[in-house]
Amino acid sequence: MNLLAAMNEYHDGMITLCLAVGSGFLLTTISRKLELPTIVLLLIGGFVLGPECIGLIEPDSLGDFFTVIVSLAIGVILYEGGLTLNLREFNNSSTMIQRLLTIGVILTWLGSSTLIWVIFDLNISYSLLAGSLVIVTGPTVIVPLLKRIQATPKVSSILHWEGVLIDAIGVFVALLCFEWVIGGAGGQAIANFGLRVMAGLTIGGGGGWIIQATIKRRWIPENLINGYVLAGGILIFGLTEIFLAEAGLLGVTVAGLVIGWKQPVEIKEIRAFKAEITDLLIGMLFILLVSRLEIQQFIDFGWKGALLVSLVMLLVRPLTVVVCSWSTDLTVKEKVFLSWVAPRGVVAASMASLFAISLSSAGDAKSASFIETFTYSVICGTVLIQGFSAGAVARLLGLRRPEPVNWLIVGANIFGRRIARIIQSETDSDVILIDSNARNIAKANEEGFDAYHEDALDADALVERDSFQSIGHVLALTDNIELNQLLTKQWASHVGRYRTFFWRPYAPANANKPGLGGAPTSTTMDHEGSVFGNVARPSIVSGELERNESILEVIEIPDFDSDHPPAVPGHPLMVVNGQNLQTLSADNDVKDHLQKGARVLTLHRSSGFLRRALEGGAFAQIEPFDLESLYRSLIERAAMLVPKMPIKQTLEDLYEQQKAFPAFLGQGIAVPHVYSSSIEERICIFAKLVKPLPFLGQDDQIRLVFFMISPTGDAEGHLSTLAEIARICQEQDNVAGLESSETLNDVLKIV
């Protein structure tokens, strides 16, 4: 019978844990999708699934393991919180943020503790512990809130960085208070408190240093670093608990702080991995913790509790903001808004429940219930009242920022800079440029642009900065197609799916060209967001612009008959109608958006493709044995001009190209041609054969050769060069002149 009871208990515990993990993450996903505070849905979900409602989740079924699961999950969450604390960001933050994280923490803690002591006559130690739990605001609540209300950059930045950086500080204060409370009274209490703090600081600090040092020395395989950091944190938690019970949370928090302070190169990937684990644990943890709550404990909290929560919201927070904002440039409206918005989050709830469980186990159920009820009441009040009214308050105070219309161009090459200049001159939008090339950034800064040497893929971090919060459109103009596509995916969640664009050349076999900008069409789902596909790689266009071989020009459309829209010369890139920029992905798209007075940005690439290719090429006389030796000789000559060109691969590509486009032009002239990613500018080698070479399937023999190699992605320049060769060789006098030429200059005169 005992075995059967144990099996039933095991079954109930397994169901509880599975439902907590699954429902917690599902509700987290839904809240992120709806841009709601995660804690709202988790509160509702935990209460509905718990014993107070339908009873699917039974925390008691986990028995003693409940405390173990909660402690370990909170340890991992606090570990991640320590990793996110960046002292450089703190030092670079505004005076207001620094004051909120120092003076503000003390005022919130002591102010809340004093109110608890006065209203509920609670022991001063427990009052300080309860007050410490409402210090933290937390990014899991504030980030989606700021996205939803779209407040001005200044107040958004203050609230965001307060939430991100205050977690570790608030937790550290709360842990110290908890260590003091559980230590007992008298000299023994002081000794226990000192031991716990020493254990946490020593084991946590030493363990954190060992983790970051082993990573820095490359002792850990790169593909195991994330797991190593997580396992290391759990080990530190366990070792600290072995040394002294209840000291593990402080130890693992300190370890995270040390690793985050040392900033190993891999910290970005570590934080991303830990954030995913933390999201999973937060959902599970909150469902389990809220399911423990009873309605009666909030009823017993009574009018005194309502008064206490109201004073924390309406007295302590405004007083903190007023003191911290003294002599700053914040306006009265900004101070009012900051005073109103301070939602508490998951970390406060988790710490309160864990402390309550520990205190209940120690026989102090009354104080445990008060601490938990008070903290959850503050969370509900700040999230539900302040959180959902924040948008209306921001609108009433005139602190909602306008619709973001500025542009971010990834690629500060000349092409990107010229487009940025035209966007600024034709619209009211500003443009920010990002590039991994420091030289391009220096040039952009010299020309007066806001340009940053940053990783544009880190969209989540960049949009948190004031400079990037007005970005409404993103254009990726790098030569790397895969990078461009990845950039648009990273930024789509911030600016919208149809406001992200990237350069991508059209595939020659693709007859269906993509539609306007990022908008999908029935034939272009694979190319969604691709633009400028009818022009060469951005680096090639940049080179031509620098040499004045191509120009960007804005053309105004005159009045026209709607049935006969005018042809737009060059390559139309975008239609500029006031603030409405329509990025075009195909030449014929412009016809659908033409109207009288419309201004169209076009790219004009000059002729003379063949001449420029020959100037960068060479003149040769060759005596080949067969077609293969001819091709090998030409490629080897090209490799002398471009040392990094792979001879074997280029030869294979050349044979593949000949299958689709035969090299023999007629009149004894062959034009073998190929694309190569190893060159930046087209080259052409003109060769005279010492002896005519028979060509398979042709009566005529090869006497002259134009061997052309174009950069991958420049189909227009490639085809235009072939067309120039064909046009020149139509004239018999030109062919005769080429046959008698002895130098490259002789060939250039004919061209």
Side-chain angles (χ1 to χ4, degrees):
M1 188 68 181
N2 290 336
L3 178 61
L4 181 62
M7 291 179 63
N8 288 334
E9 185 177 343
Y10 165 80
H11 182 263
D12 293 342
M14 181 183 65
I15 291 176
T16 292
L17 195 58
C18 291
L19 285 177
V21 172
S23 61
F25 198 78
L26 177 63
L27 292 173
T28 299
T29 303
I30 294 172
S31 65
R32 296 280 176 85
K33 186 68 176 177
L34 300 177
E35 294 187 354
L36 293 172
T38 306
I39 202 170
V40 173
L41 293 186
L42 292 177
L43 275 169
I44 297 171
F47 181 77
V48 170
L49 294 173
E52 288 286 289
C53 198
I54 62 178
L56 287 177
I57 290 180
E58 293 281 352
D60 292 340
S61 65
L62 294 171
D64 294 337
F65 284 103
F66 180 81
T67 305
V68 175
I69 292 170
V70 171
S71 297
L72 193 56
I74 293 176
V76 174
I77 292 170
L78 297 183
Y79 187 36
E80 194 264 344
L83 287 171
T84 59
L85 184 61
N86 189 328
L87 293 179
R88 183 178 61 180
E89 291 169 348
F90 174 79
N91 292 331
N92 293 337
S93 60
S94 68
T95 302
M96 181 63 184
I97 297 173
Q98 293 181 2
R99 288 179 180 176
L100 283 173
L101 297 175
T102 50
I103 300 172
V105 165
I106 296 173
L107 289 176
T108 303
W109 176 31
L110 297 182
S112 302
S113 301
T114 301
L115 290 173
I116 294 169
W117 179 63
V118 170
I119 296 175
F120 279 89
D121 195 24
L122 196 67
N123 180 286
I124 188 66
S125 298
Y126 286 98
S127 297
L128 289 170
L129 175 60
S132 70
L133 291 170
V134 295
I135 291 174
V136 297
T137 52
T140 56
V141 180
I142 202 68
V143 170
L145 174 64
L146 294 175
K147 282 186 178 180
R148 179 168 53 84
I149 65 177
Q150 295 291 299
T152 54
K154 182 187 288 187
V155 294
S156 290
S157 177
I158 292 172
L159 289 172
H160 172 81
W161 286 113
E162 180 192 14
V164 169
L165 299 174
I166 205 172
D167 262 3
I169 299 171
V171 165
F172 194 81
V173 173
L175 286 173
L176 291 179
C177 291
F178 181 65
E179 302 292 350
W180 176 261
V181 166
I182 64 174
Q188 184 63 37
I190 297 175
N192 289 338
F193 174 75
L195 282 174
R196 284 189 168 85
V197 173
M198 183 183 70
L201 294 176
T202 304
I203 299 176
W209 181 85
I210 291 173
I211 290 173
Q212 70 84 26
T214 51
I215 294 174
K216 183 178 181 180
R217 288 170 173 76
R218 307 294 180 188
W219 291 355
I220 310 301
E222 189 173 347
N223 61 335
L224 295 179
I225 288 178
N226 289 335
Y228 170 73
V229 173
L230 177 61
I234 295 174
L235 179 61
I236 290 169
F237 178 84
L239 290 176
T240 315
E241 285 287 322
I242 291 174
F243 183 82
L244 201 63
E246 309 294 347
L249 293 178
L250 181 59
V252 79
T253 303
V254 172
L257 289 170
V258 170
I259 299 172
W261 171 50
K262 288 292 185 179
Q263 291 285 305
V265 175
E266 297 81 4
I267 191 68
K268 181 180 173 182
E269 289 76 16
I270 293 171
R271 285 172 175 165
F273 171 73
K274 291 286 279 85
E276 293 176 2
I277 299 296
T278 300
D279 283 339
L280 182 68
L281 291 177
I282 285 175
M284 174 202 74
L285 191 60
F286 217 73
I287 292 291
L288 287 176
L289 295 178
V290 174
S291 66
R292 294 177 57 257
L293 301 177
E294 299 176 358
I295 296 177
Q296 188 60 44
Q297 67 187 90
F298 292 95
I299 295 175
D300 294 342
F301 202 42
W303 68 268
K304 286 186 177 181
L307 175 63
L308 174 61
V309 173
S310 300
L311 290 175
V312 169
M313 294 169 55
L314 302 177
L315 177 62
V316 175
R317 175 65 179 186
L319 178 63
T320 299
V321 171
V322 168
V323 173
C324 292
S325 62
W326 187 264
S327 74
T328 65
D329 60 350
L330 288 172
T331 65
V332 173
K333 291 182 177 180
E334 289 169 340
K335 293 177 184 178
V336 170
F337 184 75
L338 292 173
S339 300
W340 179 245
V341 180
R344 272 57 171 189
V346 174
V347 172
S350 302
M351 297 293 291
S353 292
L354 182 62
F355 293 168
I357 292 170
S358 297
L359 291 173
S360 295
S361 301
D364 196 350
K366 183 178 179 181
S367 298
S369 177
F370 173 84
I371 288 172
E372 192 172 41
T373 306
F374 164 68
T375 305
Y376 277 92
S377 297
V378 172
I379 291 171
C380 291
T382 55
V383 170
L384 297 178
I385 298 175
Q386 294 180 340
F388 284 103
S389 65
V393 173
R395 190 180 304 108
L396 182 65
L397 295 173
L399 295 177
R400 295 287 293 271
R401 69 170 180 255
E403 183 73 15
V405 296
N406 292 340
W407 283 72
L408 172 67
I409 296 181
V410 184
N413 47 53
I414 296 177
F415 190 29
R417 301 202 300 270
R418 297 280 177 89
I419 289 178
R421 183 69 67 201
I422 289 171
I423 290 175
Q424 288 182 332
S425 63
E426 293 287 330
T427 71
D428 294 330
S429 301
D430 285 328
V431 180
I432 292 176
L433 293 162
I434 281 185
D435 204 307
S436 58
N437 186 316
R439 181 173 175 272
N440 284 343
I441 293 300
K443 290 279 188 182
N445 285 323
E446 288 175 8
E447 295 177 16
F449 290 108
D450 287 331
Y452 300 91
H453 188 223
E454 299 276 2
D455 181 5
L457 285 172
D458 198 5
D460 292 339
L462 289 173
V463 296
E464 294 167 0
R465 290 159 54 172
D466 294 351
S467 305
F468 291 85
Q469 290 185 2
S470 60
I471 297 298
H473 306 83
V474 176
L475 172 61
L477 278 183
T478 76
D479 284 1
N480 189 321
I481 302 169
E482 290 74 19
L483 174 60
N484 289 344
Q485 290 175 305
L486 186 57
L487 282 165
T488 58
K489 289 181 181 179
Q490 294 288 340
W491 284 91
S493 60
H494 300 287
V495 302
R497 181 181 175 188
Y498 303 133
R499 290 186 171 190
T500 57
F501 312 95
F502 65 95
W503 171 83
R504 172 178 179 170
Y506 297 151
N510 184 15
N512 297 316
K513 295 184 178 181
L516 173 67
T521 67
S522 59
T523 60
T524 62
M525 292 305 292
D526 291 340
H527 303 278
E528 186 175 322
S530 61
V531 295
F532 305 170
N534 52 350
V535 299
R537 289 205 314 250
S539 62
I540 295 173
V541 176
S542 293
E544 293 178 358
L545 290 169
E546 188 172 25
R547 296 187 299 269
N548 295 319
E549 293 166 359
S550 297
I551 61 170
L552 284 168
E553 182 181 17
V554 177
I555 300 173
E556 185 169 327
I557 304 300
D559 195 7
F560 62 90
D561 184 348
S562 59
D563 294 330
H564 300 89
V568 179
H571 299 287
L573 301 181
M574 59 176 61
V575 177
V576 184
N577 292 326
Q579 198 56 45
N580 182 23
L581 269 68
Q582 295 171 322
T583 308
L584 303 174
S585 56
D587 291 347
N588 58 359
D589 283 338
V590 72
K591 298 176 183 178
D592 300 327
H593 303 282
L594 286 184
Q595 60 186 37
K596 179 183 178 182
R599 296 172 64 78
V600 181
L601 172 62
T602 61
L603 173 69
H604 300 270
R605 301 185 72 190
S606 62
S607 59
F609 289 104
L610 176 58
R611 181 178 184 85
R612 294 198 298 273
L614 284 168
E615 288 173 344
F619 177 94
Q621 289 192 350
I622 301 175
E623 186 175 0
F625 300 104
D626 53 19
L627 193 63
E628 181 178 354
S629 66
L630 170 63
Y631 286 171
R632 183 170 292 276
S633 297
L634 291 168
I635 293 173
E636 289 174 350
R637 188 62 59 91
M640 295 172 63
L641 301 171
V642 186
K644 62 182 179 180
M645 179 179 295
I647 295 177
K648 183 179 178 182
Q649 183 61 50
T650 306
L651 184 61
E652 292 175 1
D653 294 342
L654 184 57
Y655 275 116
E656 285 296 318
Q657 179 68 23
Q658 303 317 304
K659 294 178 182 179
F661 200 117
F664 195 72
L665 188 63
Q667 300 190 65
I669 300 171
V671 191
H673 54 96
V674 69
Y675 290 97
S676 175
S677 59
S678 61
I679 65 172
E680 296 296 329
E681 295 181 15
R682 187 176 305 98
I683 61 174
C684 182
I685 296 176
F686 176 79
K688 291 174 60 177
L689 303 192
V690 176
K691 293 181 181 180
L693 181 67
F695 191 77
L696 183 63
Q698 300 290 335
D699 295 333
D700 204 354
Q701 295 180 319
I702 301 175
R703 303 188 305 277
L704 304 174
V705 178
F706 286 90
F707 175 48
M708 184 177 68
I709 308 176
S710 290
T712 303
D714 190 10
E716 182 210 358
H718 191 81
L719 296 175
S720 297
T721 308
L722 289 175
E724 286 189 40
I725 294 172
R727 185 174 65 253
I728 289 169
C729 294
Q730 284 178 352
E731 298 291 336
Q732 192 61 44
D733 291 345
N734 290 337
V735 175
L738 291 171
E739 289 179 334
S740 62
S741 60
E742 296 295 333
T743 65
L744 183 59
N745 283 334
D746 295 337
V747 178
L748 289 172
K749 289 177 182 178
I750 297 171
V751 171

